[in-house]
Amino acid sequence: MQKKSHKSIRTVVIGSPAAGTATVFSLLDVLSSVGRDWEYLHGVEPGEAVVFEPSLRTANGAPYWDINGRKITPDAAFHEDPAPDLVIVPDIHVDFSGPLPPDLLEAADWIAETHAGGALTTSVCSGALVLGASGVLDGNDATTHWGVADTLANRHRSVRVRRERVLVPAGEGHRVVTAGGASAWSDLLLYLIARLAGLEAARRIAKVWLLTTHDEGQLTYASLTAGRQHDDKLVADAQAFAANCYMDATPVAGMVARSGLSERGFLRRFRRATGQSPAEYVQTVRVEEAKQLLETTDAPIDDIAEEVGYSEPSSFRAAFRRNVGISASVYRRKWRSLSPAAVH
C-alpha cells in the first residue's frame, strides 16, 4: 500500500558508541510506524497524514559498535541533506565525572546549528547532557535521568533541572523537550506524535505498541545518589554517621558534634559539598531505607515509620510523599507487583 502524505517530519536520532541500543531503535521503530501499523491492523489503506522520516546519524556516518557491543550502521552523517525538523538525543552511557566524548561534543555543535535553523530539539535520559553542551538548555527548565540530574545542574548552572519531571517542554515555542529516564522515550514520542501528527495518531500508536506514560513522575524510581561525589572527608564522615544513625531522634546534632565545627559552619560546609542541608540528607536516607522495607517486607507502614526514625506516622507519610511523589502504600503496591508471586 502506498502512503499518501502531505507532510513529513524529517527526524534525526543521534547515534554514538555511547548510546544504548534499545532506546535508539525504539525511537526509529515507533516513529516509522506512525500512519502505517494501525492502518495495517485494521485493513485500512493509509491516507494523507503527517508521518515521520526517522534516520540514524553520526558525525561521519561510519559504522560503529555501540555501548552494548552491537555493530550499528548509521543512515547518514550529520551534515548530509535533508536538514532535520526534529532531533532526538538518546540515552548515553559515559563516565559522568568526566567530559563528554569527542563525538558527542561534535553532536552538540551540530545540534546548536540545527536548533538555530528551526529544528525541534529533544533528548531522552542522560542525552540531556548533550543538549546542555549545545547550549539549547541555557536559561530553560529541563529534566534528565534522576541519577545524572546533579551532573546536569552542576555543569550548566543556568539550567533549572526538574529531576521530578518525566517530560519538560521548554523555551520559546517549546522547541526544546527533555525526557527523564531511558524508558521515558515513550513519553517523549507520544508527546511529539500528538503535537506534530495529532492526538488521534498518538492514541493509535499508544494502543498498537501498548505504550503508557509515567504520570507519577520520576521520584518513585529514584534512589539516593545526591551528595556522594565530593572530596570533603569531614562531610563524608558525617554522611557515614548518618547512614548508621539515621533512626536516632537527633542525628543532625550527632553529625555536628562529630564534625567539631560550629552548627552554622557545619551546615554551610555540608550544603556546599552535597547540595542538601544535613536535615534534608537525613530525611532522604530515612526515606530510602523505608523504600527498601516497603519493597521487601510486609511490615505495617506505621512500624516502618518508627523503624526509620519517625515518632509520628503522619510525619513519615508526609515526608515520604514529598520525597517520592506518591504515598507509601501506593509505592508498596507498585514495586511488590513485580514479584513473580503477584503475576497470575
Side-chain angles (χ1 to χ4, degrees):
M1 291 184 285
Q2 183 66 37
K3 182 180 298 185
K4 300 175 183 178
S5 172
H6 67 267
K7 184 177 180 181
S8 295
I9 308 297
R10 298 183 299 269
T11 304
V12 170
V13 177
I14 301 294
S16 168
T21 318
T23 303
V24 165
F25 284 94
S26 293
L27 293 168
L28 295 168
D29 283 356
V30 173
L31 288 177
S32 296
S33 73
V34 175
R36 182 193 68 195
D37 287 9
W38 175 272
E39 288 76 7
Y40 285 177
L41 286 172
H42 291 79
V44 177
E45 183 176 352
E48 292 189 357
V50 175
V51 297
F52 293 81
E53 294 181 358
S55 64
L56 180 65
R57 297 196 199 182
T58 60
N60 58 18
Y64 65 91
W65 297 89
D66 74 7
I67 192 67
N68 297 316
R70 304 291 187 274
K71 187 176 182 179
I72 308 297
T73 302
D75 298 303
F78 289 151
H79 288 93
E80 292 185 43
D81 289 331
D85 303 304
L86 168 64
V87 175
I88 308 176
V89 184
D91 55 314
I92 58 171
H93 304 262
V94 298
D95 178 0
F96 296 118
S97 65
L100 292 176
D103 75 299
L104 291 177
L105 291 176
E106 192 168 348
D109 290 340
W110 180 74
I111 287 167
E113 292 177 19
T114 61
H115 186 73
L120 177 58
T121 308
T122 70
S123 67
V124 176
C125 192
S126 47
L129 293 173
V130 182
L131 295 196
S134 77
V136 302
L137 298 183
D138 291 353
N140 287 320
D141 288 358
T143 192
T144 184
H145 188 279
W146 54 262
V148 295
D150 286 345
T151 301
L152 180 63
N154 291 333
R155 289 187 184 182
H156 306 285
R157 297 289 184 174
S158 73
V159 178
R160 297 178 295 273
V161 180
R162 304 292 302 276
R163 71 185 67 231
E164 80 282 4
R165 296 276 296 277
V166 168
L167 197 67
V168 176
E172 184 178 356
H174 284 176
R175 288 201 305 113
V176 179
V177 187
T178 50
S183 66
W185 65 261
S186 60
D187 300 78
L188 177 65
L189 289 195
L190 291 177
Y191 168 85
L192 291 173
I193 293 167
R195 174 173 167 176
L196 300 173
L199 185 56
E200 182 58 28
R203 286 182 178 137
R204 290 177 174 182
I205 287 299
K207 292 176 181 179
V208 169
W209 288 85
L210 277 66
L211 299 180
T212 188
T213 55
H214 297 84
D215 295 329
E216 73 276 24
Q218 282 201 93
L219 295 182
T220 185
Y221 300 93
S223 64
L224 176 60
T225 60
R228 291 185 179 264
Q229 296 180 359
H230 59 79
D231 298 321
D232 192 321
K233 293 182 179 179
L234 183 146
V235 172
D237 180 75
Q239 289 176 288
F241 175 83
N244 291 318
C245 302
Y246 61 85
M247 71 294 295
D248 292 354
T250 57
V252 173
M255 295 162 74
V256 173
R258 188 179 181 87
S259 74
L261 302 176
S262 68
E263 181 176 0
R264 177 174 292 183
F266 176 74
L267 296 181
R268 206 165 37 236
R269 185 161 170 175
F270 193 94
R271 183 178 287 280
R272 185 167 59 244
T274 68
Q276 293 181 297
S277 72
E280 290 168 339
Y281 186 82
V282 168
Q283 186 175 90
T284 302
V285 173
R286 285 174 168 176
V287 169
E288 283 297 308
E289 181 61 23
K291 285 161 65 176
Q292 293 299 313
L293 293 171
L294 289 165
E295 292 173 22
T296 60
T297 77
D298 294 317
I301 291 175
D302 287 358
D303 291 354
I304 290 175
E306 183 177 4
E307 184 168 343
V308 300
Y310 289 90
S311 58
E312 293 292 334
S314 59
S315 297
F316 165 73
R317 292 174 188 273
F320 192 93
R321 181 179 286 277
R322 185 166 56 251
N323 279 265
V324 184
I326 55 177
S327 69
S329 58
V330 171
Y331 183 88
R332 166 171 272 169
R333 287 198 300 271
K334 177 181 180 65
W335 291 107
R336 294 301 293 275
S337 68
L338 296 180
S339 168
V343 179
H344 301 290

